[in-house]
């Protein structure tokens, strides 16, 4: 089988391939009929599966035959009579890329170098943020005491687990607002010690459950140790030998055993959490629900991460090394794109080929997103520049794949098959395009700000004189007219100061009259000047006293808050007490992030739209923008504590458990009032809505980093 194509020269018929020494082949019945052969590499705990015609060729590769001779003999075998020359080429490439064969003719092969490099050090994956430290072999202990733990996976316990999970979900949905509020600040440094403790206990149980399930089916358990993921310690146990089981359903049970036990614990914790009042024990149970439930589902059950969900998917589709096969195919596609080298055919049905083609790109994008979120959170927590960890993530994810592609390009050049002009042009164009799309080209962004509906125009009744609210004369929803008394404040110091000044004015007037009668005109003139000053002070103090009675500045309707609920509350000068709204129009007062503040101020009337759930949308016009940012929320209906869209936290200076009404926003925010043009008739004051507009153009990269940073800071803070 000699190829006439230059690009196939390294895999010509004269090539001699020899299987590595410790391979074992096991025939297995395929799930849809027929037979397959399972290839095991015991020294590396790797498993592969090939069809019968592929096995007919592979079994002949002992180093004594050339690839052409092995192909010819395989064709004479009943198992390999349908084997094509192109399939022979693909199999030979796959064997070399997987490190299952060696050849003196491929001493410079990038795959063989990769195989040697991949066996050194704890950073075998090439990522310093993801490493394994093996410690001991737990199989003797489990073989001896496995009967003590086998009940964990009995049918009765699985049925009880289903009931517990359903009950836990019902309890969480019944306390959904409380559950959402407690998530704010969950990753704050002050909570690390508790999170780390819960994390370690659950992950040890997770791996122990894998091992118990493995021994339950009589399979040897491999090494156990510590896995460092972003410097966070995790336990791990090697149960790769479960691939020796012929039943894929038993293998799936082993793969799901860790998720099973973690969600068991999380379900019990959720039921107990819902029955307890907030406190330290409740917080510990909440952390258990988050780590054992949400995080376990997000990471371990997700097939895009190489964890339990991946192995379940791999078994369901009957592709034992889905990730590595998909990565090799993606590498072939990139190589074809760069240097025009032909993409090998995938010896699978069409739907499996499609899965292999999309798995590596989807998995890579998802892991990139997760790693960047973790990097930003870790940098925020330890005070390290985020750029350093993001660069480390990018290097860890892309360095080894790029190294392999570069090595293959170098190999093609060494063999004289490299199309240098194409490789240089395509590489340069690709890099420039990616950089331009992600970091240079600006794209318009859609901005949004949540708010609450108010009467328009409206007037805030503020305390011109500090004091306690003594009495109220109106109620919420009552129509008021200009000058109508609304409420009365009391301030004993102001009243006493007024009486003191009035007494001093009267005393000064009498003293002045007496001096005039006595003919002391010069002294009387001095007293006259003093009297003028006292009268001015008295007039000012009288205004202070009069301002203790709050009057309506305009006609309208009294809106929230209910003044009766404020009786006895002390108000400083300038504090808002009551609000009077106009009867004709409505506006929405929104909370604006600093990211969007400039674009909102520059927005023209026709560019703003106001959206209300169930009531459609209307045009808006920005009437007022508060130039000072604050953490104080103008209406607590918008806070997550009360079911609103804005996350809040207790005040940073709070010593005891703070009231929900005293919570503050995580970051200082601006506020603005947007007039609603032609508001819906059913729109009520107090409804929550949002204002949307097209903001400034920004690159996708900057937008993504800013969004992720904002999310991480809200959780870490």
């Amino acid at each position: 089988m000699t190829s006439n194509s230059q690009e196939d020269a390294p895999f010509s018929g004269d090539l001699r391939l020899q299987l590595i020494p410790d391979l074992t082949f096991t025939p297995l019945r395929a799930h849809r009929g027929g037979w397959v052969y399972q290839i095991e590499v015991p020294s590396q705990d790797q498993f592969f599966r090939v069809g019968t015609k592929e096995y007919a060729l592979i079994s002949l590769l002992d180093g004594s035959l050339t690839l052409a001779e092995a192909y010819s003999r395989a064709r004479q075998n009943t198992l390999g009579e349908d084997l094509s020359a192109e399939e022979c080429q693909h199999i030979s490439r796959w064997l070399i890329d997987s490190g299952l064969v060696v050849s003196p003719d491929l001493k410079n092969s990038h795959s063989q170098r990769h195989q040697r490099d991949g066996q050194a050090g704890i950073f075998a994956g090439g990522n310093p943020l993801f490493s394994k430290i093996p410690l001991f072999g737990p199989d003797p202990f489990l073989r001896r005491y496995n009967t003590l733990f086998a009940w964990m996976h009995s049918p009765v316990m699985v049925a009880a687990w289903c009931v517990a999970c359903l009950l836990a979900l019902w309890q969480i949905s019944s306390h959904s607002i409380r559950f959402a509020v407690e998530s704010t600040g969950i990753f704050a440094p002050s909570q690390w010690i508790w999170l780390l403790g819960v994390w370690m206990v659950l992950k040890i149980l997770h791996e122990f459950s894998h091992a118990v399930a493995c021994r339950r089916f009589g399979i040897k358990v491999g090494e156990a140790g510590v896995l460092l993921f972003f410097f966070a310690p995790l336990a791990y146990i090697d149960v790769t030998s479960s691939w020796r089981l012929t039943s894929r359903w038993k293998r799936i049970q082993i793969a799901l055993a860790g998720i099973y036990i973690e969600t068991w614990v999380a379900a019990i914790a959720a039921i107990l959490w819902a029955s307890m009042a907030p406190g330290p024990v409740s917080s510990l149970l909440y952390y258990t629900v988050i780590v054992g439930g949400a995080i376990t589902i997000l990471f371990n059950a997700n097939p895009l991460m190489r964890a339990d969900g991946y192995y379940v998917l791999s078994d369901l589709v009957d592709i034992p090394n889905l990730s590595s096969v998909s990565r090799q195919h993606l590498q072939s596609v990139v190589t074809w794109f760069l240097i025009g080298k032909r993409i090998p055919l995938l010896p699978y049905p069409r739907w499996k080929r499609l899965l292999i083609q999309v798995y590596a790109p989807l998995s890579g994008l998802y892991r990139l997103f997760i790693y960047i979120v973790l990097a930003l959170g870790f940098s925020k927590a330890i005070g390290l520049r985020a750029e350093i960890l993001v660069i480390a993530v990018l290097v860890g994810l892309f360095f080894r794949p790029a190294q392999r592609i570069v090595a293959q390009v170098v190999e093609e050049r060494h063999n004289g098959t490299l199309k240098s002009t194409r490789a240089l042009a395509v590489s340069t164009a690709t890099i420039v395009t990616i950089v331009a799309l992600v970091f240079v080209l600006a794209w318009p962004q859609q901005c949004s700000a949540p708010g609450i509906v108010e009467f328009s125009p409206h007037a805030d009744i503020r305390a011109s004189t500090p004091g306690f609210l003594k009495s109220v004369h109106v109620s919420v929803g009552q129509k008021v007219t200009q000058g109508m008394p609304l409420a009365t404040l009391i301030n004993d110091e102001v009243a006493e100061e007024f009486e003191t000044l009035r007494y001093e004015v009267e005393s000064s007037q009498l003293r002045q009259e007496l001096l005039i009668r006595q003919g002391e005109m010069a002294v009387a003139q001095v007293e006259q000047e003093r009297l003028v000053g006292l009268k001015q002070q008295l007039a000012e103090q009288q205004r202070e006293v009069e301002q203790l009675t709050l009057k309506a500045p305009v006609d309208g309707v009294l809106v929230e808050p209910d003044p009766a609920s404020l009786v006895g509350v002390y108000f400083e000068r300038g504090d808002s007490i009551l609000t009077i709204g106009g009867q004709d129009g409505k506006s929405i007062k929104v909370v604006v992030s600093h990211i969007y503040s400039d674009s909102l101020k520059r927005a023209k009337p026709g560019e703003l739209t106001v959206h209300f759930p169930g009531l459609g949308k209307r045009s808006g016009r920005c009437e007022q923008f508060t130039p000072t940012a604050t953490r104080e929320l103008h209406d607590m209906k918008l806070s997550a504590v009360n079911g609103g869209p804005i996350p809040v936290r207790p005040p940073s200076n709070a010593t005891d458990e703070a009231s929900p009404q005293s919570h503050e926003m995580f970051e200082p925010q601006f506020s603005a009032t947007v007039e609603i043009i032609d508001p819906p008739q059913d729109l009520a004051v107090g409804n929550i809505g949002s204002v949307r507009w097209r903001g400034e153009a920004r690159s996708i990269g900057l937008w993504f980093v800013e969004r992720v940073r904002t999310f991480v800071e809200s959780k870490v803070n």
Side-chain angles (χ1 to χ4, degrees):
M1 183 189 69
T2 303
S3 173
N4 296 324
S5 174
Q6 272 191 331
E7 65 182 81
D8 292 333
F11 302 97
S12 65
D14 296 332
L15 184 66
R16 295 177 185 271
L17 299 178
Q18 181 178 358
L19 296 172
I20 59 177
D22 57 346
L23 291 184
T24 60
F25 292 83
T26 305
L28 299 174
R29 174 74 68 177
H31 301 309
R32 299 191 179 185
W35 290 86
V36 295
Y37 283 83
Q38 180 169 279
I39 306 175
E40 179 182 355
V41 189
S43 62
Q44 300 180 26
D45 284 326
Q46 288 184 323
F47 291 84
F48 305 87
R49 285 188 183 178
V50 295
T52 53
K53 61 181 178 180
E54 289 85 359
Y55 173 74
L57 173 67
I58 295 173
S59 61
L60 298 173
L61 301 178
D62 57 1
S64 63
L65 300 176
T66 64
L67 193 56
E69 292 170 344
Y71 170 68
S72 178
R73 290 194 184 184
R75 292 270 296 176
Q76 297 172 9
N77 190 318
T78 305
L79 297 178
E81 59 184 0
D82 295 332
L83 186 67
S84 67
E86 189 173 21
E87 288 175 330
C88 178
Q89 290 277 22
H90 167 69
I91 294 170
S92 63
R93 291 192 184 96
W94 174 75
L95 289 170
I96 293 171
D97 290 339
S98 302
L100 299 179
V101 295
V102 294
S103 172
D105 301 326
L106 295 175
K107 291 181 179 180
N108 296 323
S109 171
H110 71 280
S111 58
Q112 292 191 37
R113 288 197 302 271
H114 165 61
Q115 181 183 357
R116 292 192 299 269
D117 295 341
Q119 298 172 352
I122 62 174
F123 303 123
N127 192 340
L129 301 178
F130 184 90
S131 54
K132 284 184 177 181
I133 304 176
L135 296 179
F136 65 97
D139 191 68
F141 170 82
L142 291 169
R143 189 185 302 113
R144 185 172 182 178
Y145 297 104
N146 190 60
T147 54
L148 298 177
F149 308 109
W151 59 270
M152 294 167 51
H153 301 278
S154 65
V156 174
M157 288 298 293
V158 173
W161 168 79
C162 293
V163 175
C165 288
L166 291 175
L167 182 58
L169 291 174
W170 178 75
Q171 291 283 18
I172 291 174
S173 63
S174 301
H175 300 78
S176 57
I177 295 178
R178 176 188 168 193
F179 192 85
V181 170
E182 290 193 21
S183 70
T184 57
I186 187 175
F187 299 117
S190 60
Q191 308 301 320
W192 279 10
I193 185 66
W194 302 107
L195 279 173
L196 183 61
V198 171
W199 180 280
M200 289 297 297
V201 170
L202 287 177
K203 295 311 171 184
I204 290 174
L205 287 175
H206 180 110
E207 299 304 324
F208 182 73
S209 183
H210 280 308
V212 170
C214 198
R215 284 304 315 173
R216 183 167 176 259
F217 295 119
I219 298 299
K220 179 182 178 181
V221 178
E223 66 184 20
V226 176
L227 176 69
L228 296 179
F229 183 67
F230 269 84
F231 310 108
L234 300 173
Y236 83 89
I237 290 182
D238 182 8
V239 292
T240 314
S241 55
S242 62
W243 280 102
R244 295 192 180 99
L245 292 169
T246 57
S247 170
R248 64 171 169 172
W249 300 114
K250 291 181 179 180
R251 294 195 298 268
I252 289 175
Q253 288 182 52
I254 294 174
L256 293 176
I259 298 175
Y260 161 77
I261 199 65
E262 281 204 69
T263 49
W264 234 132
V265 177
I268 296 173
I271 296 170
L272 295 176
W273 168 84
S275 64
M276 289 186 176
V281 176
S282 173
S283 297
L284 192 62
L285 292 171
Y286 182 81
Y287 297 154
T288 304
V289 175
I290 293 297
V291 175
I295 294 181
T296 295
I297 298 300
L298 181 65
F299 286 93
N300 294 91
N302 192 329
L304 296 179
M305 300 287 288
R306 193 157 184 176
D308 303 336
Y310 161 77
Y311 292 107
V312 172
L313 174 65
S314 181
D315 234 324
L316 288 175
V317 300
D318 198 25
I319 306 178
N321 294 277
L322 173 62
S323 179
S324 59
V325 171
S326 184
R327 283 201 311 268
Q328 290 174 9
H329 177 74
L330 180 60
Q331 178 181 330
S332 300
V333 172
V334 174
T335 305
W336 163 81
F337 184 71
L338 292 177
I339 62 178
K341 186 175 180 179
R342 187 174 56 186
I343 302 175
L345 293 176
L346 294 171
Y348 297 97
R350 178 178 297 179
W351 68 271
K352 287 188 178 183
R353 290 201 302 268
L354 178 61
L355 176 62
I356 291 171
Q357 289 165 355
V358 301
Y359 181 82
L362 291 178
S363 175
L365 290 174
Y366 180 78
R367 287 188 293 134
L368 177 63
F369 170 74
I370 292 296
Y371 291 172
I372 288 180
V373 170
L374 292 175
L376 291 175
F378 194 73
S379 67
K380 176 73 175 179
I382 67 176
L384 186 67
R385 288 185 63 87
E387 294 82 355
I388 297 176
L389 281 179
V390 170
I391 291 174
V393 167
L394 296 176
V395 170
L397 283 177
F398 297 112
F399 176 74
R400 291 304 290 267
Q403 184 185 36
R404 295 170 194 162
I405 293 173
V406 170
Q408 188 167 357
V409 171
V410 171
E411 180 180 322
E412 295 294 326
R413 181 180 180 183
H414 175 76
N415 294 321
T417 60
L418 176 65
K419 302 174 182 179
S420 303
T421 304
R422 174 192 172 110
L424 180 61
V426 171
S427 302
T428 304
T430 301
I431 294 173
V432 170
T433 302
I434 293 175
V435 171
L437 289 176
V438 176
F439 296 105
V440 177
L441 293 182
W443 301 80
Q445 58 178 337
Q446 187 68 27
C447 306
S448 178
I452 197 161
V453 176
E454 300 177 337
F455 283 110
S456 177
H458 72 275
D460 288 331
I461 312 300
R462 299 181 179 273
S464 299
T465 301
F468 292 93
L469 186 63
K470 178 183 178 181
S471 60
V472 295
H473 315 303
V474 291
S475 59
V476 173
Q478 180 178 338
K479 292 183 179 181
V480 299
T481 58
Q482 185 176 5
M484 179 179 176
L486 305 176
T488 302
L489 298 174
I490 184 172
N491 188 320
D492 293 337
E493 293 182 359
V494 172
E496 290 177 2
E497 180 68 18
F498 175 74
E499 293 298 330
T500 300
L501 285 172
R502 189 170 64 174
Y503 173 77
E504 289 184 0
V505 167
E506 292 176 353
S507 298
S508 179
Q509 288 175 339
L510 293 174
R511 190 180 301 111
Q512 183 187 29
E513 293 176 0
L514 180 61
L515 289 172
I516 292 175
R517 292 193 194 105
Q518 295 175 353
E520 298 182 13
M521 303 305 295
V523 180
Q525 181 64 32
V526 173
E527 188 64 29
Q528 172 65 26
E529 294 176 356
R530 178 174 177 272
L531 179 60
V532 171
L534 288 174
K535 287 183 177 180
Q536 291 177 348
Q537 294 180 39
L538 180 62
E540 293 175 0
Q541 197 65 21
Q542 186 174 3
R543 284 194 295 271
E544 292 280 322
V545 173
E546 292 174 351
Q547 288 171 352
L548 289 172
T549 300
L550 306 177
K551 297 181 180 181
V554 294
D555 296 343
V557 177
L558 186 69
V559 297
E560 294 183 333
D562 184 359
S565 65
L566 302 176
V567 173
V569 176
Y570 183 82
F571 293 93
E572 294 284 355
R573 190 185 306 273
D575 285 352
S576 178
I577 303 177
L578 304 173
T579 300
I580 296 177
Q583 303 180 49
D584 300 327
K586 291 184 177 70
S587 62
I588 180 170
K589 191 171 184 179
V590 295
V591 177
V592 186
S593 169
H594 66 92
I595 303 174
Y596 307 137
S597 58
D598 290 338
S599 61
L600 177 60
K601 288 187 287 186
R602 288 194 289 266
K604 298 178 181 179
E607 297 176 347
L608 298 178
T609 56
V610 188
H611 295 250
F612 302 101
L615 296 177
K617 61 183 179 179
R618 292 292 191 274
S619 297
R621 178 176 57 248
C622 187
E623 294 289 341
Q624 181 183 8
F625 185 90
T626 304
T628 304
T630 177
R631 294 181 188 269
E632 183 180 350
L633 196 55
H634 66 270
D635 195 313
M636 290 305 295
K637 280 187 177 180
L638 292 170
S639 69
V641 176
N642 295 312
I646 300 178
V648 293
R649 67 179 182 186
S652 56
N653 57 355
T655 55
D656 301 323
E657 186 173 350
S659 166
Q661 300 304 317
S662 64
H663 283 54
E664 64 182 15
M665 293 182 285
F666 284 97
E667 294 293 334
Q669 308 282 349
F670 295 95
S671 63
T673 301
V674 176
E675 183 76 17
I676 304 171
I677 300 175
D678 189 22
Q681 293 183 355
D682 297 337
L683 182 62
V685 171
N687 279 14
I688 294 177
S690 62
V691 175
R692 302 176 188 175
W693 69 98
R694 189 177 294 276
E696 299 175 349
R698 306 181 70 192
S699 69
I700 296 176
L702 294 177
W703 173 87
F704 175 77
V705 171
E706 188 65 39
R707 285 298 181 94
V708 172
R709 187 190 298 276
T710 301
F711 169 78
V712 170
E713 288 179 351
S714 70
K715 296 303 178 185
V716 173
N717 286 335

